[in-house]
Amino acid sequence: MKIRTARTSDAGRLLDIYAYYVEHTAISFECETPTIGEFANRIASTLERYPYLVIEDGGQAKGYAYAGPLKDRAAYDRSCEVSIYLDRDARGKGYGRVLYEELERRLGKMGMLNLYACIASPIVEDEYLTSNSEQFHAHMGFQRIGVFHKCGHKFGRWYNTVWMEKLIGEHA
């Protein structure tokens, strides 16, 4: 296993991972898969200020995680939003834990203190969405801090989002 910084040249493989979540799940609230160009621009834009990491095994990307601004105001500069996506066939192998631990380590070195995750949450679990992502984040030390009810509509169904928070530094 190897974790490295993403490159825009990774856009094709990372988009392959992400496209599954857009097209077949309610994990992402995007309804159309971005183009490779759009995805490469997202990687480049993120890397201007935040980590964007890829985990590889056997030379192939198995997942990625990145951070971004919580809000576009200077007072939020010690807080960020985090996201993670794993290849659908790579779940349950420890990649997510290792990847998130490295993302957290790098964010801590940058002076980040609060991490936030906005997670799609089923009203009732179905074939498009389970509670696995929320459970993963709880296992990683995040705590649920809020629910937005029926705020996402995909596949003809309504879904909630939950916000989860993890404090990783001292607030002096």
Side-chain angles (χ1 to χ4, degrees), residues 49-51 66-68 78 80-82 100-115 168:
R49 183 167 174 208
Y50 296 97
Y66 60 92
R78 301 277 185 203
C80 63
E81 186 177 349
V82 295
Y100 245 20
E101 286 173 346
E102 179 61 16
L103 182 64
E104 181 180 322
R105 187 187 70 74
R106 292 188 190 196
L107 290 167
K109 286 177 98 174
M110 292 173 57
M112 292 296 161
L113 301 174
N114 297 23
L115 307 183
I168 63 168

Side-chain angles (χ1 to χ4, degrees), residues 31-120:
C31 294
E32 293 185 25
T33 302
T35 66
I36 291 175
E38 290 169 331
F39 207 79
N41 286 339
R42 291 179 188 185
I43 293 168
S45 177
T46 298
L47 287 171
E48 289 176 7
R49 183 167 174 208
Y50 296 97
Y52 198 125
L53 305 178
V54 173
I55 189 161
E56 293 180 335
D57 200 352
Q60 183 180 36
K62 300 295 184 178
Y64 63 95
Y66 60 92
L70 176 64
K71 294 284 280 177
D72 189 25
R73 300 286 187 270
Y76 290 105
D77 280 351
R78 301 277 185 203
S79 300
C80 63
E81 186 177 349
V82 295
S83 295
I84 185 168
Y85 290 92
L86 297 178
D87 184 288
R88 69 181 180 268
D89 297 324
R91 293 175 293 183
K93 298 181 179 171
Y95 297 128
R97 169 176 278 290
V98 172
L99 193 52
Y100 245 20
E101 286 173 346
E102 179 61 16
L103 182 64
E104 181 180 322
R105 187 187 70 74
R106 292 188 190 196
L107 290 167
K109 286 177 98 174
M110 292 173 57
M112 292 296 161
L113 301 174
N114 297 23
L115 307 183
Y116 295 92
C118 181
I119 301 165

